[in-house]
């Protein structure tokens, strides 16, 4: 096929459909409208000058994954791409894409996923572009993509791919219209990287000695990765990975690893049959949940424990340079960094804000309250990586999850922490609440509500310490006298109306009770924040929809 076989088509408008914290996410019905995926894909190509370059391509296998892969391959060829490295059957987890971009020296990658959002014909779909360092495109590039999407009127697409590639399931290299397509095993390179970072012998010995675990893949992309690594390479009993078969609709579930959506695992870990360790990951394999017997490890605590113990794993034996967390993540990891004498960073929400710190060697570990933890091994958060680091720490320390967490709190104190989500709000009311709050920030210090006095109120802005770029309007932080914090921001990943996230944090030092009920420990800061932000009055909601 020659260039003249390529055709151009009119694009579909994506007006106002700006990519959020993680690329563009929309309902499948929107993404599959004629010309919609094509318009966004062409906008990316226009923004990145793809001719002669190599990209990695794969997704989490959700509904529309296969069709989208074929469309992107045809468009890549028409836009002069030299080579696409494609996961077999179009499957790659998000951290595996990040690793492949780096390992193969690719110019970037395309990730098809809506992460933890539900899938299926009525669910969500998404497309994210990652750059040559393996991380999500920074704002300068996503802004350029949006500008291109608004400016273009046609897209380029190649001919029938099925003549060359009847299936995406056979490993090997294929030529399509002058572009090479290399289909690779999605698990192999990633599993090899994990073997480099962690002491597989120590974990295997622990498991041989009777240590039990359950990993819930939530019928999403980590199933094949977890079976290979946990069961085949580390010797966990067959069946330790549950819901291991990826399904286009995730079995009707919501593949978000938290106590609400991974309730089956959560309940099992609090029941009589609980194994020693439980974990889950999300749709595209970058989030994680860690649960011990009868004890849930909040993501913010997990980051702090991992930072304090990472040196026990071979990949981090030389120590860590710094720890970065997103603004709404609790300050537990800051205390670890302080004690270790290393840098601590507070960035806006969104993994892309960690990339420069990781590239510059200023941060080694990063984490977010939204169940993401990772390190400088890739430029995405990494669910199975977090699970393996925990297992490595458990194997070396020979203690239970509960003992390790309690020991951590007794050393550093505890940040009681919870997130309250108000979902499917009408966008106008949600925006109104944020605008009102922003307009009165300077008047808030000194104000007392529910017995709590506001010490400081700010609209969070971040100056990247490496390139000096500035991100403003990243959420409101209310700091109360006595050290409690509340953060409010609108979600950037939802696809239905608006979601207000209220993050609540109360520090208890080592002389205070460390095993209180979390919502009770936070009751004052919850009530004060609700009053200060006018949640009931403006949103007309008395309770959050999801408490995690
Ligand atoms: C994405 C980003 C995360 C970020 C999260 C925030 O997660 O990759 O870095 O923390 O969005 O979500 P929201 O804006 O809804 O609070 P993921 O796992 O969806 O890619």
């Amino acid at each position: 096929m020659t260039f003249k076989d390529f055709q151009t088509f009119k694009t579909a408008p994506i007006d106002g459909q700006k990519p959020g914290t993680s690329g563009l996410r929309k309902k499948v019905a929107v993404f599959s409208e004629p010309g919609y995926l094509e318009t966004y894909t062409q906008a990316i190509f226009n923004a990145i000058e793809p001719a002669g370059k190599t990209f990695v391509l794969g997704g989490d296998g959700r509904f529309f994954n296969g069709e989208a892969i074929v469309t992107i391959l045809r468009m890549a060829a028409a836009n002069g791409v030299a080579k696409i490295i494609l996961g077999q059957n179009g499957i790659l987890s998000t951290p595996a894409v990040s690793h492949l971009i780096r390992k193969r020296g690719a110019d970037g990658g395309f990730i098809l996923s809506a992460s933890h959002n539900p899938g299926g014909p009525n669910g969500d779909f998404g497309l994210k572009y990652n750059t040559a360092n393996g991380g999500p495109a920074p704002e300068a590039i996503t802004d350029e993509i949006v500008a291109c999407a608004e400016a273009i009127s046609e897209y380029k697409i190649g001919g029938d791919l099925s003549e060359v590639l009847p299936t995406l399931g056979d490993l090997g290299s294929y030529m399509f219209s002058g572009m090479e397509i290399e289909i690779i095993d999605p698990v192999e390179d990633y599993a090899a990287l994990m073997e480099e970072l962690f002491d597989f012998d120590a974990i295997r010995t622990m498991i041989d000695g009777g240590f039990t675990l359950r990993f819930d893949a939530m019928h999403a992309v980590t199933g094949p990765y977890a079976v290979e690594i946990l069961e085949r390479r580390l010797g966990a009993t067959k069946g330790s990975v549950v819901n291991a078969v990826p399904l286009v609709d995730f079995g009707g579930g919501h593949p978000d690893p938290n106590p609400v959506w991974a309730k089956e695992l959560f309940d099992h870990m609090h029941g009589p049959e609980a194994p020693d360790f439980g974990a889950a990951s999300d749709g595209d394999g970058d989030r994680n949940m860690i649960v011990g017997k009868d004890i849930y490890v909040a993501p913010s605590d997990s980051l702090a424990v991992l930072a304090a113990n990472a040196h026990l794993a071979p990949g981090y034996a030389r120590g860590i340079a710094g720890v970065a967390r997103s603004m709404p993540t609790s300050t537990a990891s800051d205390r670890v960094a302080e004690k270790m004498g290393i840098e601590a960073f507070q960035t806006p929400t969104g993994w892309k804000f960690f990339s420069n710190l990781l590239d510059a060697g200023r941060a080694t570990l990063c984490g977010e309250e939204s169940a993401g933890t990772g390190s400088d091994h890739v430029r995405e958060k990494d669910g199975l990586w977090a699970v393996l680091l925990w297992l490595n720490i458990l194997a070396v320390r020979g203690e239970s999850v509960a003992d390790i967490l309690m020991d951590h709190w007794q050393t550093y104190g505890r940040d009681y922490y919870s997130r309250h989500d108000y979902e499917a709000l009408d966008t106008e009311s949600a925006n109104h609440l944020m605008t009102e709050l922003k307009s009165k920030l300077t008047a808030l210090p000194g104000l007392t509500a529910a017995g709590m006095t506001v010490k400081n109120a700010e609209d969070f802005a971040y100056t990247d310490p490496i390139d000096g770029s500035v991100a403003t309007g990243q959420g409101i932080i209310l700091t109360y006298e006595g050290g409690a914090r509340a953060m409010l921001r609108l979600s950037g990943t939802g696809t239905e109306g608006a979601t207000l996230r209220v993050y609540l944090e109360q520090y208890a030092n080592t002389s205070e009770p460390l095993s209180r009920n979390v919502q009770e420990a936070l009751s004052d800061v919850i009530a004060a924040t609700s009053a200060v932000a006018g949640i009931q009055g403006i949103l007309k909601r008395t309770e959050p929809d999801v408490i995690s």
Side-chain angles (χ1 to χ4, degrees), residues 98 132 164 180 196 220 224-225 232 242 254 258 284 290 297 302-303 353 359-360 399 408 421 450 453-454 472 479 512:
S98 185
V164 177
E180 183 187 351
E196 277 169 34
Y225 293 84
R232 295 209 188 97
V242 297
H254 190 141
N258 63 38
D284 62 331
I290 305 294
V297 184
S302 181
L303 173 65
F353 291 103
D359 284 349
E399 295 165 74
H408 187 91
D421 294 332
T453 304
V454 178
T472 55
T479 311
E512 295 174 65

Side-chain angles (χ1 to χ4, degrees), residues 2-313:
T2 60
F3 187 78
K4 67 176 164 22
D5 296 316
F6 297 131
Q7 300 182 33
T8 54
F9 288 89
K10 287 306 249 186
T11 55
I14 65 162
D15 309 347
Q17 315 280 341
K18 300 207 168 170
T21 31
S22 222
L24 187 65
R25 285 186 195 163
K26 291 288 150 197
K27 292 273 168 219
V28 166
V30 175
F31 244 108
S32 54
E33 273 166 25
Y36 189 90
L37 167 69
E38 291 86 342
T39 300
Y40 191 57
T41 305
Q42 187 65 51
I44 297 174
F45 283 138
N46 288 359
I48 63 172
E49 297 175 5
K53 292 183 176 168
T54 296
F55 298 97
V56 176
L57 173 62
D60 63 10
R62 66 179 59 224
F63 188 83
F64 195 54
N65 193 72
E67 289 98 313
I69 294 270
V70 170
T71 298
I72 293 171
L73 286 172
R74 291 173 60 204
M75 291 185 64
N79 280 277
V81 169
K83 177 169 177 170
I84 294 280
I85 299 165
L86 176 68
Q88 189 177 25
N89 292 316
I91 300 293
L92 280 171
S93 76
T94 291
V97 170
S98 185
H99 175 51
L100 276 167
I101 294 172
R102 296 165 66 77
K103 184 175 178 194
R104 303 289 292 268
D107 295 287
F110 297 85
I111 300 173
L112 303 177
S113 172
S115 188
H116 54 287
N117 295 8
N122 301 316
D124 293 346
F125 193 76
L127 171 57
K128 182 167 76 157
Y129 175 66
N130 280 28
T131 51
N133 74 346
E139 282 198 343
I141 295 183
T142 51
D143 287 351
E144 177 66 18
I145 294 170
V146 172
C148 288
E150 281 162 1
I152 59 175
S153 55
E154 53 185 35
Y155 62 88
K156 293 182 199 159
I157 188 158
D160 185 5
L161 181 67
S162 64
E163 286 173 15
V164 177
L165 216 52
T167 145
L168 302 178
D170 295 329
L171 303 182
S173 275
Y174 307 84
M175 285 310 291
F176 170 63
S177 300
M179 179 178 85
E180 183 187 351
I181 300 172
E182 182 188 350
I183 300 186
I184 56 148
D185 180 313
V187 176
E188 188 52 43
D189 296 277
Y190 178 82
L193 174 66
M194 295 301 116
E195 292 223 36
E196 277 169 34
L197 295 173
F198 301 114
D199 188 344
F200 272 40
D201 287 341
I203 302 173
R204 209 179 291 116
T205 304
M206 173 175 76
I207 290 173
D208 286 349
F211 179 94
T212 51
L213 65 93
R214 172 181 284 226
F215 178 89
D216 191 339
M218 303 188 87
H219 287 303
V221 79
T222 48
Y225 293 84
V227 168
E228 173 63 27
I229 295 171
L230 300 175
E231 294 187 4
R232 295 209 188 97
R233 299 194 187 196
L234 291 169
T237 318
K238 209 164 178 297
S240 298
V241 179
V242 297
N243 299 320
V245 178
L247 300 172
V248 287
D249 65 349
F250 309 117
H254 190 141
D256 195 359
N258 63 38
V260 176
W261 298 116
K263 190 171 183 312
E264 191 183 307
L265 175 72
F266 190 82
D267 289 348
H268 188 73
M269 293 305 297
H270 288 77
E273 312 277 297
D276 295 303
F277 180 80
S281 190
D282 69 331
D284 62 331
D286 57 2
R287 296 186 174 205
N288 74 88
M289 175 172 88
I290 305 294
V291 210
K293 254 185 194 154
D294 264 331
I295 191 154
Y296 165 66
V297 184
S300 298
D301 278 339
S302 181
L303 173 65
V305 170
L306 294 182
N309 292 279
H311 61 279
L312 300 177

Side-chain angles (χ1 to χ4, degrees), residues 453-468:
T453 304
V454 178
K455 187 176 175 195
N456 189 45
E458 67 171 293
D459 187 357
F460 181 56
Y462 176 69
T463 303
D464 186 297
I466 312 301
D467 66 14

Side-chain angles (χ1 to χ4, degrees), residues 332-352:
S333 59
D334 298 11
R335 274 177 259 288
V336 175
E338 193 183 350
K339 189 159 184 206
M340 293 171 82
I342 58 174
E343 286 193 284
F345 300 92
Q346 171 172 264
T347 64
T349 293
W351 204 262
K352 61 189 172 193

Side-chain angles (χ1 to χ4, degrees), residues 21-22 25 114-117 128 136 282 284 286-287 326 349-352 354 368-370 380-381 419 489-494 499 501 503:
T21 31
S22 222
R25 285 186 195 163
S115 188
H116 54 287
N117 295 8
K128 182 167 76 157
D282 69 331
D284 62 331
D286 57 2
R287 296 186 174 205
S326 65
T349 293
W351 204 262
K352 61 189 172 193
F354 296 134
E368 296 186 282
E369 53 67 40
S370 55
E380 288 279 2
K381 52 192 186 278
R419 186 174 98 184
R489 58 178 281 279
L490 298 181
S491 158
T493 62
T499 296
R501 303 207 193 285
Y503 312 83

